[in-house]
Amino acid sequence: DWLMGILNWRGYELPVISFEAVRGDARPAADDQTHIAVMNSVRGEQGVPFYALVTAGIPHLARLGEGELQHTGAFDGVAASGELARVQLDNQRAIIPDLDALEVLAADYVRQVA
């Protein structure tokens, strides 16, 4: 359910991952705010130098100072699949994805279809 499709990008066939589906939630509906973020492999999984994530809006980097980001402890001891942490920045809650786990999913998929 997490595979949204395949993106041909710079000669690579990238699996497009729905983070919501990895977490066990419903896949997001595509609309005019839907984007795809191409992710650089960080683990160096063989055959998967890149993969893609569906995003709502345009992702951007944010520099955070010490103490600005608070761990919410909202897991009740167990993180959902694909989640690294749940945090709060100012009054907004966010989930930090486990990029290692998402990359492993992409690599496993590529190995299965090869």
Side-chain angles (χ1 to χ4, degrees), residues 44-110:
E45 289 286 338
Q46 190 172 10
V48 183
F50 307 99
Y51 59 98
L53 291 174
V54 175
T55 68
I58 300 174
H60 63 277
L61 293 175
R63 288 188 180 257
L64 303 174
E66 187 175 335
E68 287 183 82
L69 192 65
Q70 299 172 350
H71 191 281
T72 64
F75 284 134
D76 297 326
V78 179
S81 178
E83 290 183 1
L84 185 62
R86 291 185 184 180
V87 296
Q88 185 165 329
L89 176 62
D90 295 324
N91 291 327
Q92 292 189 332
R93 292 179 180 233
I95 297 172
I96 298 175
D98 183 344
L99 297 180
D100 287 340
L102 298 177
E103 186 174 324
V104 168
L105 275 178
D108 287 347
Y109 172 78
V110 169

